[in-house]
Amino acid sequence: MARKPNYDFERRERERLKAIKVAEKAEAKRAARERAKLEEGGEAAAGETEPSTDKS
């Protein structure tokens, strides 16, 4: 026998997944803008320094 549909849950789940996708896209665009701004200024991004080869 088929299950009873739970339309409210299914709608909330679709909206939740869509919100996650939108947030990820917005974060990617923000990171790209920040990266472009740093490249334009000729500065190294924080956390993107070259690892030291000094072995003490």
Side-chain angles (χ1 to χ4, degrees), residues 8-24:
D8 289 334
F9 172 77
E10 293 170 2
R11 178 179 47 82
R12 284 192 312 265
E13 189 67 12
R14 283 193 307 269
E15 290 174 352
R16 182 183 70 84
L17 294 174
K18 185 176 180 179
I20 290 171
K21 188 175 181 180
V22 168
E24 288 175 347

Side-chain angles (χ1 to χ4, degrees), residues 2-55:
R3 68 175 179 86
K4 180 180 175 185
N6 188 346
Y7 297 114
D8 289 334
F9 172 77
E10 293 170 2
R11 178 179 47 82
R12 284 192 312 265
E13 189 67 12
R14 283 193 307 269
E15 290 174 352
R16 182 183 70 84
L17 294 174
K18 185 176 180 179
I20 290 171
K21 188 175 181 180
V22 168
E24 288 175 347
K25 188 173 182 181
E27 175 63 24
K29 289 179 91 173
R30 185 200 61 77
R33 281 195 311 267
E34 186 176 298
R35 193 169 35 254
K37 184 177 179 184
L38 289 174
E39 288 175 0
E40 182 179 300
E43 301 174 15
E48 293 184 7
T49 59
E50 293 183 20
S52 69
T53 57
D54 187 29
K55 295 182 180 178

